[in-house]
Amino acid sequence: MFSKTASFVERFFYFYSKLSTTMNIIIINGPNLNLLGKREPEVYGNQTFENYFRDLKSKYPSVNLDYFQSNIEGELIDKIQEIGFHYDGIILNAAAYTHTSVGIGDAVKAITTPVIEVHISNTFSRETFRHQSYISTNAKGVIIGFGLKSYELALQSFL
């Protein structure tokens, strides 16, 4: 990383700049996740994502944390492509599109920003079709089954 002649000061300022830079992380949620708190509370819990996101932002004030949700596959792909070359991380819960969308999987493969795939429920304890992911092979990691805490675990993986 450094040449043998790099001074202590050069090294110090390099590492200091990395520590002092605000990370830009976005959470991208797919279809029906706008219904959290109302939809199948036995699977997804009672808390709305908006309330959870507010709490998460206040817990990590040094992170520039953004949020995007869409029920439309093309809008999710557009957002991944829009931010996929200049954000520090993407936390992606593509929801049902995880199991069906080659396009979202290809978008994740095409970008340079690392992606953590997240699922609120344990997809392997549900229907068999939910065991397939078109995202996992191109994701930095996968976190499933820890409820909304899955998002925080993903966020911590970037810090």
Side-chain angles (χ1 to χ4, degrees):
M1 177 186 321
F2 294 104
S3 70
K4 291 183 180 183
T5 60
S7 71
F8 171 78
V9 173
E10 289 172 311
R11 292 171 195 241
F12 172 81
F13 281 111
Y14 172 81
F15 287 112
Y16 180 78
S17 72
K18 294 296 182 189
L19 291 174
S20 64
T21 303
T22 300
M23 292 194 78
N24 293 306
I25 308 289
I26 188 168
I27 295 171
I28 299 177
N29 274 344
N32 300 312
L33 292 171
N34 57 309
L35 297 177
L36 287 175
K38 300 174 190 170
R39 172 189 176 213
E40 299 178 81
E42 66 283 357
V43 175
Y44 300 106
N46 294 312
Q47 188 173 18
T48 66
F49 194 82
E50 290 73 18
N51 287 341
Y52 176 77
F53 183 69
R54 184 193 66 234
D55 294 344
L56 192 62
K57 281 185 78 152
S58 67
K59 190 171 180 179
Y60 294 90
S62 64
V63 176
N64 179 28
L65 193 57
D66 294 322
Y67 172 58
F68 177 79
Q69 189 278 328
S70 179
N71 294 318
I72 302 169
E73 182 179 18
E75 289 180 1
L76 296 170
I77 293 169
D78 287 345
K79 181 57 79 172
I80 291 166
Q81 292 176 355
E82 173 191 328
I83 54 90
F85 295 94
H86 62 274
Y87 267 59
D88 298 302
I90 298 171
I91 300 168
L92 175 60
N93 185 343
Y97 288 138
T98 300
H99 322 294
T100 63
S101 179
V102 173
I104 291 175
D106 285 349
V108 169
K109 184 177 184 178
I111 62 173
T112 57
T113 298
V115 174
I116 301 293
E117 179 183 345
V118 165
H119 297 283
I120 297 167
S121 67
N122 179 352
T123 56
F124 291 99
S125 69
R126 301 182 65 196
E127 303 92 340
T128 305
F129 76 88
R130 295 187 193 273
H131 301 179
Q132 166 68 40
S133 170
Y134 286 100
I135 297 164
S136 297
T137 57
N138 297 302
K140 176 183 173 188
V142 179
I143 300 172
I144 63 170
F146 293 96
L148 290 175
K149 180 81 172 166
S150 298
Y151 292 94
E152 184 175 2
L153 294 170
L155 178 58
Q156 289 173 352
S157 77
F158 290 117
L159 303 180

